């Protein structure tokens, strides 16, 4: 199986809905990797919401940046696993999952944040490399962007080349940007807003508010129930 056999994206309401919840799920797994790594490093859970996490107040380790980089490392592994499946998958369903893993792990978001000097990668590098001189900041931001681009662009190129749909550039851009927009509106604005108002903000496990835990379980159940839609998100043409 190779990229000489392009795939046709099945852009039905159901397939797009399950894909969006897969996007949400991968976002949450990214955050879980951060806080679990922090727990391993510090011996206690830190605090978090839907996109901001902190190590516990008593944490005193030499390289707390390990927890910062853990999230992106997980996401990058998912991107490249998707690329491998898409290029070398033994079946169309595996190649379809490969495409989903590439598009559903926020590659545009990681590149965009690095380009604007934000995101885990740039923040972690700043924490590691910044000294008393502030003049190094621009170079650290540039380094962060280059690293993220070098990691994210090859899977994106592979994904784009695999798509057989007409107007595939428009579709490709939409699948990169629209799920990220919905993620921002629903998680960062709506659900984080509810947390700030005290709605289900009680913490029971893993330093995580109840609302976040319920959201994660909901995403997991929806994606598991709609798994077949992901394996048939892309099919052979003809």
């Amino acid at each position: 199986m190779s990229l000489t056999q392009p795939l046709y994206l099945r852009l039905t309401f159901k397939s797009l809905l399950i894909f969006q919840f897969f996007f949400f799920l991968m976002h949450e797994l990214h955050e879980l990797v951060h806080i679990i790594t922090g727990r391993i490093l510090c011996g206690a859970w830190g605090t978090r919401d839907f996109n901001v996490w902190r190590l516990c107040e008593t944490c005193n380790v030499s390289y707390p940046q390990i927890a910062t980089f853990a999230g992106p490392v997980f996401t990058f592994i998912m991107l490249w696993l998707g690329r491998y499946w898409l290029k070398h998958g033994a079946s169309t369903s595996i190649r379809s999952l490969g495409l989903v893993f590439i598009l559903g792990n926020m590659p545009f978001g990681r590149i965009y944040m690095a380009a604007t000097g934000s995101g885990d990668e740039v923040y972690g590098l700043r924490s590691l490399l910044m000294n008393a001189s502030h003049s190094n900041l621009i170079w650290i931001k540039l380094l962060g962007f280059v690293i993220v681009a070098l990691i994210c662009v090859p899977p994106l190129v592979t994904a784009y080349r695999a798509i057989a749909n007409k107007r595939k550039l428009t579709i490709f851009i939409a699948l990169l940007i629209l799920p990220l927009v919905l993620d921002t509106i629903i998680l960062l604005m709506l659900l984080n807003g509810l947390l700030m108002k005290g709605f289900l903000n009680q913490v029971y496990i893993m330093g995580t508010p109840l609302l976040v835990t319920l959201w994660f379980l909901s995403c997991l159940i929806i994606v598991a129930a709609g798994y077949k839609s992901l394996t048939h998100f892309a099919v052979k043409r003809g």
Side-chain angles (χ1 to χ4, degrees):
M1 198 73 65
S2 70
L3 289 180
T4 56
Q5 296 177 301
L7 299 175
Y8 180 81
L9 300 183
R10 298 172 63 248
L11 303 177
T12 65
F13 176 79
K14 180 181 178 180
S15 66
L16 290 173
L17 180 65
I18 301 301
F19 172 77
Q20 181 66 57
F21 273 93
F22 177 84
F23 193 98
F24 291 147
L25 179 63
M26 299 313 290
H27 180 155
E28 177 57 21
L29 289 174
H30 175 104
E31 301 301 328
L32 281 175
V33 170
H34 279 306
I35 64 169
I36 291 172
T37 304
R39 173 64 175 81
I40 293 170
L41 288 174
C42 305
W45 295 105
T47 59
R48 61 162 298 191
D49 57 19
F50 281 93
N51 72 308
V52 176
W53 59 274
R54 295 177 181 84
L55 298 176
C56 66
E57 294 182 358
T58 58
C59 187
N60 185 22
V61 293
S62 299
Y63 293 101
Q65 299 88 356
I66 293 173
T68 303
F69 289 124
V73 167
F74 166 79
T75 297
F76 296 152
I77 290 172
M78 295 299 100
L79 282 171
W80 280 80
L81 177 62
R83 184 175 188 265
Y84 178 82
W85 282 344
L86 183 55
K87 291 190 70 174
H88 306 292
S91 66
T92 302
S93 61
I94 293 297
R95 295 189 68 216
S96 175
L97 276 180
L99 196 55
V100 167
F101 267 65
I102 294 172
L103 298 175
N105 270 283
M106 208 180 295
F108 174 75
R110 303 239 64 85
I111 294 172
Y112 175 78
M113 286 187 292
T116 58
S118 60
D120 296 325
E121 299 86 349
V122 174
Y123 178 82
L125 286 173
R126 287 177 62 182
S127 179
L128 268 180
L129 303 178
M130 280 288 284
N131 52 32
S133 171
H134 207 68
S135 60
N136 293 327
L137 181 57
I138 185 64
W139 298 108
I140 292 172
K141 289 182 178 180
L142 180 60
L143 176 62
F145 171 72
V146 170
I147 291 173
V148 172
L150 286 174
I151 294 172
C152 292
V153 168
L156 287 173
V157 171
T158 301
Y160 180 76
R161 289 177 175 173
I163 297 173
N165 300 61
K166 294 180 180 179
R167 299 187 295 275
K168 74 173 185 176
L169 179 60
T170 301
I171 294 171
F172 184 69
I173 292 174
L175 288 174
L176 288 179
I177 296 177
L178 293 182
L180 184 62
V181 171
L182 289 174
D183 187 86
T184 300
I185 294 172
I186 295 174
L187 271 65
L188 277 58
M189 298 173 65
L190 177 60
L191 295 182
N192 265 345
L194 290 174
L195 276 181
M196 291 178 64
K197 293 179 180 178
F199 181 72
L200 296 179
N201 66 346
Q202 303 89 346
V203 175
Y204 294 108
I205 58 172
M206 300 173 66
T208 301
L210 179 58
L211 181 61
V212 179
T213 301
L214 293 175
W215 172 256
F216 169 65
L217 292 175
S218 298
C219 291
L220 189 62
I221 291 169
I222 291 170
V223 170
Y227 176 75
K228 189 173 181 180
S229 291
L230 300 181
T231 60
H232 292 78
F233 188 73
V235 297
K236 286 183 182 178
R237 195 170 189 177

